[in-house]
Amino acid sequence: MKKLIYVLWGSLLCIACSSGGDGSNPQNEVPEPDPTPSDALTVDNARTYMVDPNATEETVALFYNLKKLSKTKTIVGHQDAFNYFYQDNRNTSDIKKTTGNEPGLLGSDFMFITDKNNPSNNWFVQQENKIIADTKDAYSKGMVNIFAWHLREPYNEESFYASDMTDQQKATAFRGLLPNGIFHDWYKAKLDKVAQVFNSLTAPDGTKIPVIFRPFHEFDGNWFWWGQNYCTAEEYKAVFQFTVTYLRDVKNIHNVLYSFAPDNTYSNSASYLSRYPGDDYVDVLGMDNYGDLGNGQGTAGADRANAKLKMISDLAVNKVKIAAFTETGYLVNNSNAPIDGWFSNYAYTTISKNNPEIAFIMFWYNYQNSYYVPTPANPNAADFLVFTNKAKCLLQNDLPDLYTLPQN
């Protein structure tokens, strides 16, 4: 239906561009070409390209502004930036320690929030409250918020890794989330908790804070219990679709953009879309990629990663969606020394070569004894600073107003 509307709209535009309405062009003017799908996005029609046509104004603005921003800029983000630090636990993000500015995007997770021990164990309640507070803080600074969900498996609720499950559990856990499945009611209860948190994300003036939700990521691998070996493509799509419709239509959540985010195994659009739940269920086309940027792969790996992002960007242009580099990084620890130029050369090549329209890049969180984003004393801090100062990269201090639609 959206494609039909677009074709009709493009045809009407061409008719309007002709003089006299008979197809003639007496002034020998070159007629305006049909708009590309990317150019088709306007303030007035943004909702027609979104999962939720009833999204809040601020959520529509975030979709519109991220899409437009991605033509020339990429926001730099960090998972758990306000909570997980390398060595120094001061109440300052590691990115700010190194650059003087906050990341432009904050990654959070529903893992502890939906844990079976919440609320019986107060530690989990504290994590929930901290995540909610961090999300509100990020929004107050004009940042983007994105939530992943490392949902623990439904049998014992101890792990999200398939390696910790029996073969029988792996074969039935994800399928059990489907309507009429053995874990469907369990899953709805988890989604009720997710909805409760989304509803609680309000600014002081009562505005619902928009967030990006990235459920069941990296499904093309088999390390998570929702991996491709444990369900068919149609089953994966059905669970994703149910997740969206339950939150949007049953729980009336209207401050969410939904992200599709496989790992890096896909190198062409047909395979990338093999488990795609459909344009009506996805706002953000993402990809996680650590493997192509690992140790020793250098320029060749960066070029592979770039080609995959370019493929996703092209899909997002055609579908009028947002493209994003939803997770990446190179972990530095006692066994892995920093790679010279990893940020300013390889990571930047990935998001800039061939001009992919990538709205954000998110680095994974730092640990006490290892890191993805360096702090000032680390040998690759200068390299990270060069990266964040490059023309395409945006930190919090350079973000435009992402939550207000421009005036027509």
Side-chain angles (χ1 to χ4, degrees):
M1 186 63 178
K2 290 176 183 175
K3 291 182 180 178
L4 177 60
I5 292 170
Y6 166 67
V7 170
L8 292 173
W9 178 71
S11 300
L12 289 171
L13 182 63
C14 288
I15 292 171
C17 288
S18 67
S19 61
D22 61 356
S24 64
N25 192 1
Q27 297 178 342
N28 294 320
E29 295 176 353
V30 177
E32 289 291 327
D34 287 352
T36 66
S38 183
D39 293 332
L41 180 66
T42 69
V43 169
D44 292 331
N45 70 14
R47 291 178 185 274
T48 67
Y49 297 108
M50 296 175 61
V51 169
D52 188 355
N54 297 312
T56 66
E57 286 295 316
E58 292 77 16
T59 307
V60 176
L62 181 61
F63 178 87
Y64 178 90
N65 289 322
L66 283 179
K67 180 63 180 172
K68 294 296 185 179
L69 182 76
S70 68
K71 287 178 171 294
T72 57
K73 302 292 184 180
T74 298
I75 297 170
V76 178
H78 196 196
Q79 181 75 15
D80 290 302
F82 299 160
N83 272 305
Y84 285 29
F85 310 107
Y86 176 64
Q87 294 185 350
D88 183 352
N89 289 331
R90 287 180 299 154
N91 190 26
T92 302
S93 72
D94 284 350
I95 283 186
K96 186 171 183 178
K97 292 168 192 169
T98 300
T99 68
N101 297 296
E102 300 286 11
L105 174 144
L106 174 66
S108 300
D109 202 314
F110 277 109
M111 177 174 60
F112 297 137
I113 293 173
T114 57
D115 191 278
K116 66 180 179 180
N117 295 302
N118 186 0
S120 60
N121 184 318
N122 191 54
W123 183 87
F124 291 89
V125 177
Q126 291 172 354
Q127 301 311 302
E128 176 182 345
N129 292 337
K130 188 181 296 184
I131 290 168
I132 291 172
D134 287 347
T135 302
K136 292 180 178 181
D137 185 25
Y139 175 75
S140 73
K141 295 173 180 175
M143 297 165 58
V144 180
N145 281 288
I146 184 169
F147 275 76
W149 194 11
H150 288 85
L151 177 62
R152 303 187 196 277
E153 47 77 23
Y155 278 97
N156 300 307
E157 298 192 50
E158 296 290 348
S159 176
F160 44 82
Y161 288 120
S163 59
D164 295 325
M165 302 168 67
T166 68
D167 289 343
Q168 187 272 337
Q169 289 172 342
K170 286 185 283 191
T172 54
F174 190 78
R175 293 184 173 103
L177 306 186
L178 290 162
N180 301 318
I182 58 175
F183 296 117
H184 186 63
D185 289 341
W186 174 89
Y187 185 51
K188 285 197 295 185
K190 297 297 184 183
L191 287 176
D192 289 344
K193 181 63 179 181
V194 169
Q196 176 188 326
V197 171
F198 284 148
N199 264 326
S200 73
L201 296 176
T202 56
D205 65 358
T207 298
K208 293 287 186 183
I209 296 173
V211 300
I212 302 169
F213 184 33
R214 191 168 64 102
F216 302 120
H217 64 300
E218 299 177 10
F219 52 84
D220 47 322
N222 292 303
W223 43 91
F224 297 138
W225 59 272
W226 52 85
Q228 63 178 353
N229 280 2
Y230 316 126
C231 62
T232 67
E234 294 309 310
E235 288 167 339
Y236 181 85
K237 294 175 190 178
V239 171
F240 196 107
Q241 291 166 356
F242 173 80
T243 302
V244 172
T245 55
Y246 187 76
L247 290 173
R248 183 192 62 197
D249 303 335
V250 178
K251 305 304 292 186
N252 293 312
I253 301 300
H254 300 297
N255 56 324
V256 175
L257 301 177
Y258 295 89
S259 175
F260 175 77
D263 198 50
N264 68 346
T265 61
Y266 300 133
S267 58
N268 61 71
S269 57
S271 58
Y272 178 83
L273 295 174
S274 62
R275 294 191 171 223
Y276 182 64
D279 291 351
D280 290 340
Y281 301 92
V282 175
D283 296 298
V284 179
L285 301 178
M287 176 175 277
D288 296 2
N289 193 345
Y290 297 87
D292 287 329
L293 297 170
N295 198 2
Q297 300 191 66
T299 300
D303 285 344
R304 284 195 301 273
N306 170 255
K308 294 170 184 177
L309 279 189
K310 177 61 175 173
M311 175 265 293
I312 295 170
S313 170
D314 289 347
L315 281 172
V317 168
N318 289 328
K319 293 177 175 293
V320 194
K321 301 293 183 180
I322 298 162
F325 198 177
T326 40
E327 256 190 62
T328 192
Y330 176 74
L331 185 65
V332 177
N333 55 29
N334 290 334
S335 301
N336 299 321
I339 297 174
D340 290 342
W342 190 92
F343 291 103
S344 63
N345 187 358
Y346 306 133
Y348 194 71
T349 292
T350 299
I351 64 171
S352 62
K353 189 175 181 179
N354 301 310
N355 299 312
E357 297 182 11
I358 303 299
F360 59 84
I361 177 174
M362 187 175 74
F363 300 106
W364 201 237
Y365 60 71
N366 285 358
Y367 302 81
Q368 181 65 25
N369 297 312
S370 55
Y371 64 87
Y372 286 97
V373 171
T375 49
N378 300 126
N380 56 344
D383 179 48
F384 183 72
L385 191 57
V386 170
F387 168 79
T388 58
N389 283 329
K390 283 182 177 284
K392 192 167 186 177
C393 295
L394 291 181
L395 293 173
Q396 178 268 335
N397 61 308
D398 287 323
L399 291 177
D401 180 0
L402 295 171
Y403 298 104
T404 303
L405 284 166
Q407 297 296 313
N408 286 324

